[in-house]
Amino acid sequence: EFSATNSAYAGMILGYSMIRNNQGYTGDNTADSKITLNQTSYTLIESVEGTKAGVTFIAPPSGNVEIEFYAMFQSTNDTVAFGLSSSDSSYTEIEDLQTYNSNIVYFDESDYHPINIRWVLEGLSGSNTVYIWYKVLSGTAYLYHGESYHHSTTYHYPPITTKVTALPATFSITGD
């Protein structure tokens, strides 16, 4: 063991989930490959097929983890906020520090960009489940995943992923 006390498993992936449309070409159906973000109150990110953006994991000895959410995002002048919830049925904020509610994702043109949002949770123990929720402050945006069909062409987008990585017991915090 070459890590700080209670830091065993630091850097280890503790949980991972994926949303990816793999239905194949289904005519002009693009609904299966995108998640529409258009709700003005916090709403669970969930695929058409019902797969939820969330992950279950066992806390490491340090009690500290990083949650990383990755998706292909498309919008036109839309503002979207993201937060972590311990429930998939109602927005049960883990703590206000984990609700990113001020212009987290905003593009000023019609663009497709990968987004990568991270949260650091401390003081955890036992089994934990977190879900990714969103709300739009303005407009309608989309998350694309897997295979899509548009204008006689099949497109392939990366999956939407949620990953939990163990952090060491102590790490540098600046700006407090």
Side-chain angles (χ1 to χ4, degrees), residues 12-17 53-60 63-70 82-86 94-95 98 100 115-122 124 127-133 161-167 171:
M12 180 183 281
I13 296 173
L14 303 174
Y16 194 90
S17 69
V55 65
T56 299
F57 62 96
I58 303 295
N64 303 328
V65 299
E66 178 183 68
I67 310 292
E68 181 179 353
F69 175 73
Y70 174 88
F82 292 89
L84 290 180
S85 174
S86 58
I94 289 178
E95 64 177 322
Q98 308 306 337
Y100 300 157
I115 59 169
N116 192 344
I117 302 170
R118 297 171 188 222
W119 293 266
V120 173
L121 302 179
E122 301 173 81
L124 300 175
S127 180
N128 299 269
T129 301
V130 296
Y131 297 94
I132 313 299
W133 289 60
T161 59
T162 307
K163 178 172 66 173
V164 181
T165 304
L167 295 177
F171 49 89

Side-chain angles (χ1 to χ4, degrees), residues 20-159:
R20 179 179 61 201
N21 179 45
N22 59 357
Q23 297 300 312
Y25 171 62
T26 57
D28 202 18
N29 178 9
T30 59
D32 289 348
S33 64
K34 70 180 175 183
I35 298 171
T36 302
L37 308 180
N38 61 2
Q39 301 299 308
T40 57
S41 60
Y42 276 99
T43 303
L44 177 64
I45 294 175
E46 185 173 8
S47 73
V48 171
E49 295 81 18
T51 305
K52 298 168 176 62
V55 65
T56 299
F57 62 96
I58 303 295
S62 68
N64 303 328
V65 299
E66 178 183 68
I67 310 292
E68 181 179 353
F69 175 73
Y70 174 88
M72 181 59 72
F73 183 85
Q74 189 268 325
S75 79
T76 305
N77 296 324
D78 310 307
T79 304
V80 182
F82 292 89
L84 290 180
S85 174
S86 58
S87 171
D88 66 351
S89 60
S90 65
Y91 188 62
T92 307
E93 184 178 60
I94 289 178
E95 64 177 322
D96 64 350
L97 184 62
Q98 308 306 337
T99 298
Y100 300 157
N101 57 6
S102 179
N103 296 327
I104 294 308
V105 179
Y106 174 81
F107 300 122
D108 65 351
E109 298 174 359
S110 180
D111 292 322
Y112 288 77
H113 290 286
I115 59 169
N116 192 344
I117 302 170
R118 297 171 188 222
W119 293 266
V120 173
L121 302 179
E122 301 173 81
L124 300 175
S125 62
S127 180
N128 299 269
T129 301
V130 296
Y131 297 94
I132 313 299
W133 289 60
Y134 81 92
K135 77 173 180 177
V136 294
L137 305 175
S138 64
T140 299
Y142 304 93
L143 300 177
Y144 285 86
H145 56 94
E147 194 167 69
S148 177
Y149 181 79
H150 187 66
H151 295 300
S152 302
T153 303
T154 300
Y155 295 95
H156 298 275
Y157 294 101

